Structure formats: C-alpha cells, structure tokens
Amino acid sequence: MSSSEMSMSDSAKSVVAIVGASGGVGSAVLRQALGAGHCVRALARSRTKLAGIVGEETMSQLETFVEGDVSDPAALSQLLSGGASDDTTNSQMAEVVISCLGTPKSAKPCVCKGTESILKAMRTQSGGASSMTPRLIMVSSIGVGDSRDQGLSMAWVFVRCIIPLFLSKVFIDLERAEDVLWRENETPGGVRCTAVRPPGLNDKPGKGPAAVKMVPASELKAGPASIAREDVAAAMLRLVDPATFDNWAGKGVTVVVP
C-alpha cells in the first residue's frame, strides 16, 4: 500500500469492530486496520491468545478490547458501543463490523449462529439513534452460494471432493450464514451486508492491497486456488470504504491475487 493510501484523512477513518480477532484472518485485519489509522475495537474469546499473536504493543492501540463470545449479547454490545457493557451512550457506534468467524477443526459449525447474533446486536445498537446505516463484512469462502461454478473453475478437487467428504457441515453453515446476510440486506432499514469469498487460505506473506483483485461470482477462473490471509484482510479493509462497499452490498465478492 502506498504512503498516500496509508495516510488517510480523518474523514476517511472509521470505527471498525472486529469479531473473531484472534484467528488468522482476524488478527491480520486487526493489524492492518490499526496501520491504516482506523479506530479499532476487537472481540476474541481469549485476550492471552490474541496478545500472543499480535503483541502487547498492538493490543495497547485498540480503542476497546472485549474478551467474550459472539453468542453473548453483553459482549457484543460493549464491542459495538466501545463502552461498558451497560453503557451505549458515551462512544460512537461502530460504523463497520468485520466478522472473521470460522469453524475450528473438529468443532461444531458456528458461523451462521454467530452471524445472527452479530446482526441482532447491530440492529439493537443502531435502532433509531443514528442516521448511519451499519455495515457488516463477513468472511465466507469460494464455492458458497452463487460462486459454486467459479469455485469449480478454480479449485475443482476442493469443491467436488474435499468439501463433500470432509467439510460438508462447515459449508452448509456458511451457506446458511450468507442467506442470513442477504435477507438482512433486503430488509428496509436493516444492516447492509457483504460476504468476502477467498479460495484456499495460506500463511504466506501477503502480496499487498494493490495485488488483490475483487471479482464477482460470474468470473470463472478468476485466479489461483490459494490466497494469503493477509491479502484477504486487505480486501476486507478495502470494503470499509463506503463507496467500495456500495459496489458489493447484498452480494458476495471473490478475492484473488492473480
């Protein structure tokens, strides 16, 4: 990212709340959001785990950290408001929520229920008090929803073999989570939503925001079948910009590095 992109004006900075901040994508979003000058709030189940990943210096830059679970309304209220769990009046409401929820290996799929909890909290927080329409950016996966054909064109073995044999419950959960987003997005006065669909994730160093391409599900053979988590985070942060978000509201966006 160029220095001009990194040095945003105050008007371009946003209050960003991250759910699932201790995961691979979530921790990358956290670091990059702070580096871009956003006011960042984060929710994770373990402060110790997150601090071990990003370091105490980075933790100290957060406006708010909430140790809790996405199923806890009080924890989500504190995250969105930036104040105490019983005080939603003294801080600015988060403009954008970035959900980096995922299902750990051998765990019960949790993204759909978590997404429902986030949306409920966002509706409660925004109810009538502000002219701002809250926005939710959720990480999903290629092969979900209308990106199945795209997934087959990029990662045939993964979509045709790996998902049905080993990940069917995880992907059914992601399908349901996206359905929740699209229904919410169509609700008058509801939260505006989009889903970021990466191919397979890896922990290699990212190629940088300028290398990340955002494409619709209709574009087949859009890129390689793998992408760095850092580059997925860069794409999610690009959607914090209202104009960019508007291009993808109500639909999924596939992210690749050609």
Side-chain angles (χ1 to χ4, degrees), residues 207-237:
K207 298 291 183 65
V212 180
K213 185 179 178 183
M214 304 170 73
V215 300
S218 59
E219 185 171 327
L220 304 184
K221 297 182 180 180
S226 183
I227 187 172
R229 287 176 170 85
E230 290 182 355
D231 288 332
V232 178
M236 298 185 85
L237 281 173

PDB file of all heavy atoms in Angstrom, residues 207-237:
ATOM      1  N   LYS A 207       0.770 -10.314  -0.730  1.00  0.00           N
ATOM      2  CA  LYS A 207       1.345  -9.581  -1.853  1.00  0.00           C
ATOM      3  C   LYS A 207       1.037  -8.089  -1.770  1.00  0.00           C
ATOM      4  O   LYS A 207       1.593  -7.301  -2.515  1.00  0.00           O
ATOM      5  CB  LYS A 207       0.779 -10.138  -3.167  1.00  0.00           C
ATOM      6  CG  LYS A 207       1.115 -11.599  -3.423  1.00  0.00           C
ATOM      7  CD  LYS A 207       2.573 -11.812  -3.711  1.00  0.00           C
ATOM      8  CE  LYS A 207       2.888 -13.267  -4.031  1.00  0.00           C
ATOM      9  NZ  LYS A 207       2.264 -13.744  -5.274  1.00  0.00           N
ATOM     10  N   GLY A 208       0.126  -7.708  -0.863  1.00  0.00           N
ATOM     11  CA  GLY A 208      -0.202  -6.299  -0.690  1.00  0.00           C
ATOM     12  C   GLY A 208      -1.523  -5.932  -1.318  1.00  0.00           C
ATOM     13  O   GLY A 208      -1.981  -6.594  -2.263  1.00  0.00           O
ATOM     14  N   PRO A 209      -2.175  -4.886  -0.797  1.00  0.00           N
ATOM     15  CA  PRO A 209      -3.505  -4.484  -1.266  1.00  0.00           C
ATOM     16  C   PRO A 209      -3.590  -4.254  -2.766  1.00  0.00           C
ATOM     17  O   PRO A 209      -4.597  -4.582  -3.397  1.00  0.00           O
ATOM     18  CB  PRO A 209      -3.772  -3.197  -0.491  1.00  0.00           C
ATOM     19  CG  PRO A 209      -2.945  -3.317   0.743  1.00  0.00           C
ATOM     20  CD  PRO A 209      -1.704  -4.051   0.329  1.00  0.00           C
ATOM     21  N   ALA A 210      -2.554  -3.694  -3.358  1.00  0.00           N
ATOM     22  CA  ALA A 210      -2.604  -3.391  -4.793  1.00  0.00           C
ATOM     23  C   ALA A 210      -2.682  -4.652  -5.644  1.00  0.00           C
ATOM     24  O   ALA A 210      -3.150  -4.609  -6.792  1.00  0.00           O
ATOM     25  CB  ALA A 210      -1.383  -2.563  -5.198  1.00  0.00           C
ATOM     26  N   ALA A 211      -2.237  -5.782  -5.099  1.00  0.00           N
ATOM     27  CA  ALA A 211      -2.231  -7.035  -5.863  1.00  0.00           C
ATOM     28  C   ALA A 211      -3.553  -7.789  -5.754  1.00  0.00           C
ATOM     29  O   ALA A 211      -3.806  -8.701  -6.544  1.00  0.00           O
ATOM     30  CB  ALA A 211      -1.092  -7.933  -5.380  1.00  0.00           C
ATOM     31  N   VAL A 212      -4.382  -7.399  -4.800  1.00  0.00           N
ATOM     32  CA  VAL A 212      -5.626  -8.137  -4.551  1.00  0.00           C
ATOM     33  C   VAL A 212      -6.709  -7.703  -5.532  1.00  0.00           C
ATOM     34  O   VAL A 212      -6.988  -6.517  -5.689  1.00  0.00           O
ATOM     35  CB  VAL A 212      -6.109  -7.934  -3.106  1.00  0.00           C
ATOM     36  CG1 VAL A 212      -7.404  -8.711  -2.862  1.00  0.00           C
ATOM     37  CG2 VAL A 212      -5.040  -8.381  -2.118  1.00  0.00           C
ATOM     38  N   LYS A 213      -7.311  -8.670  -6.179  1.00  0.00           N
ATOM     39  CA  LYS A 213      -8.365  -8.416  -7.155  1.00  0.00           C
ATOM     40  C   LYS A 213      -9.702  -8.850  -6.568  1.00  0.00           C
ATOM     41  O   LYS A 213      -9.820  -9.927  -5.985  1.00  0.00           O
ATOM     42  CB  LYS A 213      -8.077  -9.195  -8.442  1.00  0.00           C
ATOM     43  CG  LYS A 213      -9.029  -8.926  -9.594  1.00  0.00           C
ATOM     44  CD  LYS A 213      -8.610  -9.744 -10.815  1.00  0.00           C
ATOM     45  CE  LYS A 213      -9.566  -9.529 -11.982  1.00  0.00           C
ATOM     46  NZ  LYS A 213      -9.194 -10.377 -13.153  1.00  0.00           N
ATOM     47  N   MET A 214     -10.717  -8.019  -6.707  1.00  0.00           N
ATOM     48  CA  MET A 214     -12.057  -8.318  -6.215  1.00  0.00           C
ATOM     49  C   MET A 214     -12.968  -8.524  -7.419  1.00  0.00           C
ATOM     50  O   MET A 214     -13.115  -7.631  -8.248  1.00  0.00           O
ATOM     51  CB  MET A 214     -12.555  -7.171  -5.332  1.00  0.00           C
ATOM     52  CG  MET A 214     -11.612  -6.863  -4.175  1.00  0.00           C
ATOM     53  SD  MET A 214     -12.006  -5.335  -3.282  1.00  0.00           S
ATOM     54  CE  MET A 214     -13.464  -5.849  -2.380  1.00  0.00           C
ATOM     55  N   VAL A 215     -13.569  -9.727  -7.506  1.00  0.00           N
ATOM     56  CA  VAL A 215     -14.320 -10.070  -8.709  1.00  0.00           C
ATOM     57  C   VAL A 215     -15.669 -10.677  -8.343  1.00  0.00           C
ATOM     58  O   VAL A 215     -15.840 -11.241  -7.261  1.00  0.00           O
ATOM     59  CB  VAL A 215     -13.534 -11.062  -9.597  1.00  0.00           C
ATOM     60  CG1 VAL A 215     -12.208 -10.460 -10.034  1.00  0.00           C
ATOM     61  CG2 VAL A 215     -13.305 -12.378  -8.876  1.00  0.00           C
ATOM     62  N   PRO A 216     -16.657 -10.598  -9.243  1.00  0.00           N
ATOM     63  CA  PRO A 216     -17.960 -11.214  -8.986  1.00  0.00           C
ATOM     64  C   PRO A 216     -17.907 -12.721  -9.186  1.00  0.00           C
ATOM     65  O   PRO A 216     -16.978 -13.262  -9.792  1.00  0.00           O
ATOM     66  CB  PRO A 216     -18.856 -10.555 -10.035  1.00  0.00           C
ATOM     67  CG  PRO A 216     -17.933 -10.224 -11.159  1.00  0.00           C
ATOM     68  CD  PRO A 216     -16.628  -9.844 -10.513  1.00  0.00           C
ATOM     69  N   ALA A 217     -18.935 -13.403  -8.686  1.00  0.00           N
ATOM     70  CA  ALA A 217     -19.007 -14.863  -8.789  1.00  0.00           C
ATOM     71  C   ALA A 217     -19.095 -15.334 -10.228  1.00  0.00           C
ATOM     72  O   ALA A 217     -18.759 -16.484 -10.534  1.00  0.00           O
ATOM     73  CB  ALA A 217     -20.199 -15.379  -7.990  1.00  0.00           C
ATOM     74  N   SER A 218     -19.527 -14.467 -11.108  1.00  0.00           N
ATOM     75  CA  SER A 218     -19.697 -14.852 -12.513  1.00  0.00           C
ATOM     76  C   SER A 218     -18.381 -14.981 -13.265  1.00  0.00           C
ATOM     77  O   SER A 218     -18.340 -15.551 -14.360  1.00  0.00           O
ATOM     78  CB  SER A 218     -20.581 -13.825 -13.228  1.00  0.00           C
ATOM     79  OG  SER A 218     -19.993 -12.526 -13.152  1.00  0.00           O
ATOM     80  N   GLU A 219     -17.297 -14.470 -12.696  1.00  0.00           N
ATOM     81  CA  GLU A 219     -15.996 -14.510 -13.378  1.00  0.00           C
ATOM     82  C   GLU A 219     -15.305 -15.841 -13.091  1.00  0.00           C
ATOM     83  O   GLU A 219     -14.804 -16.061 -11.983  1.00  0.00           O
ATOM     84  CB  GLU A 219     -15.112 -13.346 -12.946  1.00  0.00           C
ATOM     85  CG  GLU A 219     -13.794 -13.276 -13.715  1.00  0.00           C
ATOM     86  CD  GLU A 219     -13.016 -12.000 -13.441  1.00  0.00           C
ATOM     87  OE1 GLU A 219     -13.647 -10.950 -13.206  1.00  0.00           O
ATOM     88  OE2 GLU A 219     -11.771 -12.057 -13.484  1.00  0.00           O
ATOM     89  N   LEU A 220     -15.277 -16.734 -14.077  1.00  0.00           N
ATOM     90  CA  LEU A 220     -14.665 -18.046 -13.895  1.00  0.00           C
ATOM     91  C   LEU A 220     -13.147 -17.953 -14.048  1.00  0.00           C
ATOM     92  O   LEU A 220     -12.616 -17.041 -14.677  1.00  0.00           O
ATOM     93  CB  LEU A 220     -15.239 -19.029 -14.913  1.00  0.00           C
ATOM     94  CG  LEU A 220     -16.771 -19.194 -14.902  1.00  0.00           C
ATOM     95  CD1 LEU A 220     -17.188 -20.271 -15.894  1.00  0.00           C
ATOM     96  CD2 LEU A 220     -17.287 -19.512 -13.498  1.00  0.00           C
ATOM     97  N   LYS A 221     -12.468 -18.928 -13.434  1.00  0.00           N
ATOM     98  CA  LYS A 221     -11.003 -18.982 -13.484  1.00  0.00           C
ATOM     99  C   LYS A 221     -10.407 -17.626 -13.117  1.00  0.00           C
ATOM    100  O   LYS A 221      -9.514 -17.106 -13.786  1.00  0.00           O
ATOM    101  CB  LYS A 221     -10.525 -19.435 -14.866  1.00  0.00           C
ATOM    102  CG  LYS A 221     -10.969 -20.844 -15.226  1.00  0.00           C
ATOM    103  CD  LYS A 221     -10.437 -21.275 -16.572  1.00  0.00           C
ATOM    104  CE  LYS A 221     -10.896 -22.700 -16.902  1.00  0.00           C
ATOM    105  NZ  LYS A 221     -10.391 -23.151 -18.227  1.00  0.00           N
ATOM    106  N   ALA A 222     -10.915 -17.079 -12.008  1.00  0.00           N
ATOM    107  CA  ALA A 222     -10.549 -15.711 -11.623  1.00  0.00           C
ATOM    108  C   ALA A 222      -9.118 -15.591 -11.125  1.00  0.00           C
ATOM    109  O   ALA A 222      -8.543 -14.501 -11.144  1.00  0.00           O
ATOM    110  CB  ALA A 222     -11.508 -15.199 -10.551  1.00  0.00           C
ATOM    111  N   GLY A 223      -8.537 -16.699 -10.660  1.00  0.00           N
ATOM    112  CA  GLY A 223      -7.193 -16.620 -10.119  1.00  0.00           C
ATOM    113  C   GLY A 223      -6.766 -17.937  -9.527  1.00  0.00           C
ATOM    114  O   GLY A 223      -7.485 -18.948  -9.628  1.00  0.00           O
ATOM    115  N   PRO A 224      -5.604 -17.963  -8.872  1.00  0.00           N
ATOM    116  CA  PRO A 224      -5.107 -19.186  -8.248  1.00  0.00           C
ATOM    117  C   PRO A 224      -6.055 -19.677  -7.140  1.00  0.00           C
ATOM    118  O   PRO A 224      -6.879 -18.923  -6.634  1.00  0.00           O
ATOM    119  CB  PRO A 224      -3.758 -18.752  -7.659  1.00  0.00           C
ATOM    120  CG  PRO A 224      -3.371 -17.533  -8.413  1.00  0.00           C
ATOM    121  CD  PRO A 224      -4.662 -16.839  -8.748  1.00  0.00           C
ATOM    122  N   ALA A 225      -5.890 -20.935  -6.779  1.00  0.00           N
ATOM    123  CA  ALA A 225      -6.784 -21.558  -5.800  1.00  0.00           C
ATOM    124  C   ALA A 225      -6.360 -21.309  -4.361  1.00  0.00           C
ATOM    125  O   ALA A 225      -6.878 -21.953  -3.432  1.00  0.00           O
ATOM    126  CB  ALA A 225      -6.865 -23.065  -6.058  1.00  0.00           C
ATOM    127  N   SER A 226      -5.443 -20.378  -4.143  1.00  0.00           N
ATOM    128  CA  SER A 226      -4.976 -20.093  -2.784  1.00  0.00           C
ATOM    129  C   SER A 226      -4.649 -18.612  -2.669  1.00  0.00           C
ATOM    130  O   SER A 226      -4.272 -17.966  -3.649  1.00  0.00           O
ATOM    131  CB  SER A 226      -3.743 -20.938  -2.461  1.00  0.00           C
ATOM    132  OG  SER A 226      -3.302 -20.730  -1.132  1.00  0.00           O
ATOM    133  N   ILE A 227      -4.792 -18.096  -1.440  1.00  0.00           N
ATOM    134  CA  ILE A 227      -4.512 -16.682  -1.181  1.00  0.00           C
ATOM    135  C   ILE A 227      -4.031 -16.522   0.259  1.00  0.00           C
ATOM    136  O   ILE A 227      -4.443 -17.272   1.158  1.00  0.00           O
ATOM    137  CB  ILE A 227      -5.777 -15.820  -1.419  1.00  0.00           C
ATOM    138  CG1 ILE A 227      -5.458 -14.319  -1.323  1.00  0.00           C
ATOM    139  CG2 ILE A 227      -6.885 -16.196  -0.459  1.00  0.00           C
ATOM    140  CD1 ILE A 227      -6.626 -13.417  -1.745  1.00  0.00           C
ATOM    141  N   ALA A 228      -3.133 -15.592   0.478  1.00  0.00           N
ATOM    142  CA  ALA A 228      -2.626 -15.339   1.830  1.00  0.00           C
ATOM    143  C   ALA A 228      -3.705 -14.693   2.692  1.00  0.00           C
ATOM    144  O   ALA A 228      -4.480 -13.862   2.212  1.00  0.00           O
ATOM    145  CB  ALA A 228      -1.397 -14.434   1.766  1.00  0.00           C
ATOM    146  N   ARG A 229      -3.739 -15.087   3.947  1.00  0.00           N
ATOM    147  CA  ARG A 229      -4.702 -14.485   4.875  1.00  0.00           C
ATOM    148  C   ARG A 229      -4.515 -12.971   4.958  1.00  0.00           C
ATOM    149  O   ARG A 229      -5.485 -12.232   5.104  1.00  0.00           O
ATOM    150  CB  ARG A 229      -4.569 -15.129   6.262  1.00  0.00           C
ATOM    151  CG  ARG A 229      -5.117 -16.547   6.320  1.00  0.00           C
ATOM    152  CD  ARG A 229      -4.888 -17.199   7.687  1.00  0.00           C
ATOM    153  NE  ARG A 229      -5.629 -18.456   7.794  1.00  0.00           N
ATOM    154  CZ  ARG A 229      -5.204 -19.632   7.370  1.00  0.00           C
ATOM    155  NH1 ARG A 229      -4.006 -19.711   6.774  1.00  0.00           N
ATOM    156  NH2 ARG A 229      -5.942 -20.711   7.506  1.00  0.00           N
ATOM    157  N   GLU A 230      -3.268 -12.519   4.858  1.00  0.00           N
ATOM    158  CA  GLU A 230      -3.012 -11.073   4.886  1.00  0.00           C
ATOM    159  C   GLU A 230      -3.697 -10.365   3.719  1.00  0.00           C
ATOM    160  O   GLU A 230      -4.177  -9.235   3.864  1.00  0.00           O
ATOM    161  CB  GLU A 230      -1.505 -10.806   4.845  1.00  0.00           C
ATOM    162  CG  GLU A 230      -0.771 -11.197   6.125  1.00  0.00           C
ATOM    163  CD  GLU A 230       0.709 -10.875   6.052  1.00  0.00           C
ATOM    164  OE1 GLU A 230       1.190 -10.434   4.978  1.00  0.00           O
ATOM    165  OE2 GLU A 230       1.396 -11.067   7.073  1.00  0.00           O
ATOM    166  N   ASP A 231      -3.765 -11.021   2.567  1.00  0.00           N
ATOM    167  CA  ASP A 231      -4.404 -10.397   1.411  1.00  0.00           C
ATOM    168  C   ASP A 231      -5.921 -10.420   1.525  1.00  0.00           C
ATOM    169  O   ASP A 231      -6.601  -9.508   1.035  1.00  0.00           O
ATOM    170  CB  ASP A 231      -3.944 -11.082   0.122  1.00  0.00           C
ATOM    171  CG  ASP A 231      -2.501 -10.742  -0.232  1.00  0.00           C
ATOM    172  OD1 ASP A 231      -2.049  -9.641   0.150  1.00  0.00           O
ATOM    173  OD2 ASP A 231      -1.830 -11.568  -0.871  1.00  0.00           O
ATOM    174  N   VAL A 232      -6.472 -11.454   2.169  1.00  0.00           N
ATOM    175  CA  VAL A 232      -7.914 -11.460   2.450  1.00  0.00           C
ATOM    176  C   VAL A 232      -8.254 -10.294   3.376  1.00  0.00           C
ATOM    177  O   VAL A 232      -9.236  -9.575   3.165  1.00  0.00           O
ATOM    178  CB  VAL A 232      -8.355 -12.790   3.084  1.00  0.00           C
ATOM    179  CG1 VAL A 232      -9.847 -12.756   3.422  1.00  0.00           C
ATOM    180  CG2 VAL A 232      -8.060 -13.959   2.152  1.00  0.00           C
ATOM    181  N   ALA A 233      -7.415 -10.091   4.388  1.00  0.00           N
ATOM    182  CA  ALA A 233      -7.625  -8.973   5.310  1.00  0.00           C
ATOM    183  C   ALA A 233      -7.588  -7.645   4.571  1.00  0.00           C
ATOM    184  O   ALA A 233      -8.399  -6.747   4.833  1.00  0.00           O
ATOM    185  CB  ALA A 233      -6.560  -9.001   6.414  1.00  0.00           C
ATOM    186  N   ALA A 234      -6.665  -7.493   3.634  1.00  0.00           N
ATOM    187  CA  ALA A 234      -6.570  -6.249   2.862  1.00  0.00           C
ATOM    188  C   ALA A 234      -7.843  -6.001   2.069  1.00  0.00           C
ATOM    189  O   ALA A 234      -8.321  -4.856   1.974  1.00  0.00           O
ATOM    190  CB  ALA A 234      -5.363  -6.317   1.936  1.00  0.00           C
ATOM    191  N   ALA A 235      -8.413  -7.058   1.504  1.00  0.00           N
ATOM    192  CA  ALA A 235      -9.661  -6.907   0.748  1.00  0.00           C
ATOM    193  C   ALA A 235     -10.809  -6.508   1.660  1.00  0.00           C
ATOM    194  O   ALA A 235     -11.635  -5.648   1.308  1.00  0.00           O
ATOM    195  CB  ALA A 235      -9.991  -8.207   0.027  1.00  0.00           C
ATOM    196  N   MET A 236     -10.879  -7.109   2.837  1.00  0.00           N
ATOM    197  CA  MET A 236     -11.954  -6.786   3.774  1.00  0.00           C
ATOM    198  C   MET A 236     -11.855  -5.329   4.208  1.00  0.00           C
ATOM    199  O   MET A 236     -12.871  -4.625   4.332  1.00  0.00           O
ATOM    200  CB  MET A 236     -11.928  -7.731   4.971  1.00  0.00           C
ATOM    201  CG  MET A 236     -12.151  -9.185   4.590  1.00  0.00           C
ATOM    202  SD  MET A 236     -12.264 -10.330   5.993  1.00  0.00           S
ATOM    203  CE  MET A 236     -14.012 -10.175   6.409  1.00  0.00           C
ATOM    204  N   LEU A 237     -10.635  -4.853   4.404  1.00  0.00           N
ATOM    205  CA  LEU A 237     -10.467  -3.454   4.801  1.00  0.00           C
ATOM    206  C   LEU A 237     -10.771  -2.498   3.657  1.00  0.00           C
ATOM    207  O   LEU A 237     -11.216  -1.374   3.888  1.00  0.00           O
ATOM    208  CB  LEU A 237      -9.056  -3.224   5.332  1.00  0.00           C
ATOM    209  CG  LEU A 237      -8.834  -3.694   6.764  1.00  0.00           C
ATOM    210  CD1 LEU A 237      -7.372  -3.594   7.143  1.00  0.00           C
ATOM    211  CD2 LEU A 237      -9.686  -2.883   7.740  1.00  0.00           C
TER     212      LEU A 237
END
